[in-house]
Amino acid sequence: MADTSTQSIQVHAPLARVAAVICDFPRYPEWAESIKKVQVLEEYEDGYAAQVRFQIDATVLVDEYTLEYAYADDLSRIEWRLVEPSKTQRSQDGSYDLVENADGSTTVTYTLVVDLAIGMLGMFRRKAEKMIMDMALKELKRRVESLPAA
C-alpha cells in the first residue's frame, strides 16, 4: 500500500537556482549521499531530462530504477514517476513544488508516494520515509546554498 509523504524546507536562494540543482541529475552523486550513480537516458527537445536511471544505496534500501520526469514551464513544479517496478519498488510518484518568497528565498515542498515491493511495518516505513525525505531536503538545501550567487 502506498502512502503520501510531504515535507517542506526553505532554501535561501531564488527559485531558478533551486530548480537548476534539482534538474542537474548527473551531479546528484556529488551531494546526495545515497545516490551512487545517475544516467540521463532520454532528454526532451529543450534539454531537460525525460528519463533518468538511478543507483542508490541508502543502507536500508539498495536499488536501481528509472524515473520519468515532467516540468512546469516556469519550473515551479518538477514531477516524476517510476517507469517500471524495481527490485524494491512497485511504484513511485513524486514532485518538488517550488514557491519563490518575497525575501528571495524559495520554499521547496517534496511529495513522495512509494509502493514498496518489500514488506515493512507501517511504523518503520513512516520512519524510513521521514528520514529519506529529511535527508533529501537538507542535502538539496546545503547544495543550493553552497553555490555562488549567479
Side-chain angles (χ1 to χ4, degrees):
M1 184 174 85
D3 292 321
T4 301
S5 296
T6 301
Q7 288 190 33
S8 296
I9 197 166
Q10 187 171 349
V11 179
H12 298 286
L15 185 149
R17 191 168 351 145
V18 176
V21 170
I22 292 170
C23 295
D24 191 2
F25 298 104
R27 292 189 179 265
Y28 275 34
E30 294 176 12
W31 59 269
E33 186 177 323
S34 65
I35 298 176
K36 301 307 175 192
K37 186 176 178 187
V38 177
Q39 180 183 9
V40 175
L41 303 175
E42 290 180 28
E43 291 183 346
Y44 293 109
E45 288 180 13
D46 60 9
Y48 286 102
Q51 287 197 359
V52 182
R53 185 125 185 106
F54 292 88
Q55 287 181 1
I56 65 163
D57 184 349
T59 309
V60 295
L61 185 69
V62 177
D63 202 2
E64 189 169 328
Y65 55 90
T66 301
L67 300 177
E68 183 172 72
Y69 284 84
Y71 309 85
D73 288 340
D74 63 358
L75 296 178
S76 63
R77 182 175 179 86
I78 300 163
E79 58 187 25
W80 61 89
R81 68 168 188 81
L82 188 67
V83 172
E84 60 187 30
S86 69
K87 181 173 66 172
T88 63
Q89 303 174 72
R90 286 190 197 99
S91 67
Q92 179 187 145
D93 294 285
S95 64
Y96 283 112
D97 288 291
L98 310 177
V99 176
E100 195 159 60
N101 303 310
D103 65 359
S105 67
T106 301
T107 300
V108 180
T109 301
Y110 181 18
T111 302
L112 189 61
V113 182
V114 178
D115 186 9
L116 294 175
I118 55 175
M120 189 179 283
L121 291 174
M123 179 180 71
F124 294 115
R125 177 192 173 101
R126 284 186 292 282
K127 186 173 183 173
E129 285 173 353
K130 181 178 178 356
M131 184 182 79
I132 289 166
M133 292 183 84
D134 278 351
M135 185 179 302
L137 285 172
K138 287 175 184 171
E139 287 177 335
L140 174 64
K141 176 181 173 71
R142 186 170 32 252
R143 174 65 171 200
V144 172
E145 291 178 356
S146 73
L147 296 174

